[in-house]
Amino acid sequence: KKKTNRVDKPQWFIQYFLESIKAHIAPVSDCIQPSALKACGNSKMKVLVDLRSAMIRSLIQNCIHWRLEKSYATLENSHALFCHTIDQLIAADQELENVYEYAAYVNKPAVWPRLISFFCTTDARMKRWVEADASFARRKVNEVLAESGAWDGFIPESCFDIVNLLKKVSARFKDRLSPEFAFRFVTGIQLPVIEAYRIAV
């Protein structure tokens, strides 16, 4: 089997995806895009011609999302693998934004998707994502509360750890999800974390 087919190593097929973009982005931007713009002439449609983004979108849908569809039955049965895959997808999305200026549309993920949009296309996938991250958050809270110096200081050290955990959760969905989906992270993960810490205090 090819290593890009390993479900437990999502970083391998994601890296292949990124390398494919890197190999083809210059010809598309420098050769095909100018020709397409020239063909448009003075048409108002000219401003909508962005073949670089169209190529990335096509690869996301036909490479990444297709691969995730094939492996989802395995992913949903493992919190660790699910979270690891999410981490890799978010990192790749950041690279697309920072390096290639790819702009996804959070309110229409089916039109201009991110890699992570695969998990926002159905209610069941979104629910599974929140469950996986909530499981991680609960374990992290327990670890923080069990540390020997958790309650040291006028403002306990554990307080800073909990705030950092909340920020980490926010970073996973901020500017990536529609308000509807972001609300699920707030109510399903962040509020329970705050409540668990309140009870401990």
Side-chain angles (χ1 to χ4, degrees), residues 43-82:
S43 171
K44 293 182 179 179
M45 294 296 292
K46 190 173 184 178
V47 297
L48 301 177
V49 178
D50 182 0
L51 299 185
R52 184 168 71 169
S53 292
M55 179 192 74
I56 294 174
R57 177 182 63 173
S58 179
L59 286 173
I60 289 174
Q61 293 173 323
N62 298 301
C63 177
I64 297 296
H65 289 180
W66 177 86
R67 184 69 185 84
L68 291 170
E69 187 74 51
K70 296 293 184 181
S71 60
Y72 186 72
T74 301
L75 289 177
E76 67 176 344
N77 290 318
S78 169
H79 279 318
L81 182 55
F82 199 99

Side-chain angles (χ1 to χ4, degrees), residues 17-35:
F17 158 81
L18 293 173
E19 289 174 353
S20 297
I21 292 176
K22 183 177 180 180
H24 295 89
I25 201 74
V28 170
S29 299
D30 300 340
C31 300
I32 303 177
Q33 176 77 14
S35 297

Side-chain angles (χ1 to χ4, degrees), residues 7-172:
V7 179
D8 63 324
K9 296 290 185 180
Q11 61 269 33
W12 289 352
F13 73 80
I14 292 173
Q15 185 59 37
Y16 177 78
F17 158 81
L18 293 173
E19 289 174 353
S20 297
I21 292 176
K22 183 177 180 180
H24 295 89
I25 201 74
V28 170
S29 299
D30 300 340
C31 300
I32 303 177
Q33 176 77 14
S35 297
L37 292 175
K38 184 177 180 180
C40 289
N42 295 321
S43 171
K44 293 182 179 179
M45 294 296 292
K46 190 173 184 178
V47 297
L48 301 177
V49 178
D50 182 0
L51 299 185
R52 184 168 71 169
S53 292
M55 179 192 74
I56 294 174
R57 177 182 63 173
S58 179
L59 286 173
I60 289 174
Q61 293 173 323
N62 298 301
C63 177
I64 297 296
H65 289 180
W66 177 86
R67 184 69 185 84
L68 291 170
E69 187 74 51
K70 296 293 184 181
S71 60
Y72 186 72
T74 301
L75 289 177
E76 67 176 344
N77 290 318
S78 169
H79 279 318
L81 182 55
F82 199 99
C83 288
H84 176 56
T85 301
I86 292 289
D87 288 340
Q88 297 299 315
L89 294 173
I90 289 176
D93 275 331
Q94 290 176 332
E95 182 169 340
L96 292 183
E97 295 168 13
N98 297 335
V99 178
Y100 302 111
E101 299 180 341
Y102 175 73
Y105 188 23
V106 296
N107 292 315
K108 291 186 178 181
V111 180
W112 288 105
R114 286 182 167 87
L115 279 72
I116 202 65
S117 299
F118 173 82
F119 294 99
C120 307
T121 54
T122 71
D123 187 71
R125 290 175 187 167
M126 189 71 242
K127 182 179 178 180
R128 185 66 185 87
W129 181 3
V130 173
E131 288 175 350
D133 274 16
S135 177
F136 166 81
R138 285 192 297 270
R139 291 197 307 272
K140 191 63 179 177
V141 169
N142 291 336
E143 290 174 7
V144 168
L145 297 179
E147 291 180 359
S148 59
W151 305 106
D152 293 344
F154 179 74
I155 299 177
E157 288 297 321
S158 56
C159 181
F160 296 105
D161 292 333
I162 293 298
V163 169
N164 287 334
L165 175 59
L166 293 173
K167 289 180 178 180
K168 183 175 182 179
V169 172
S170 294
R172 291 170 74 79

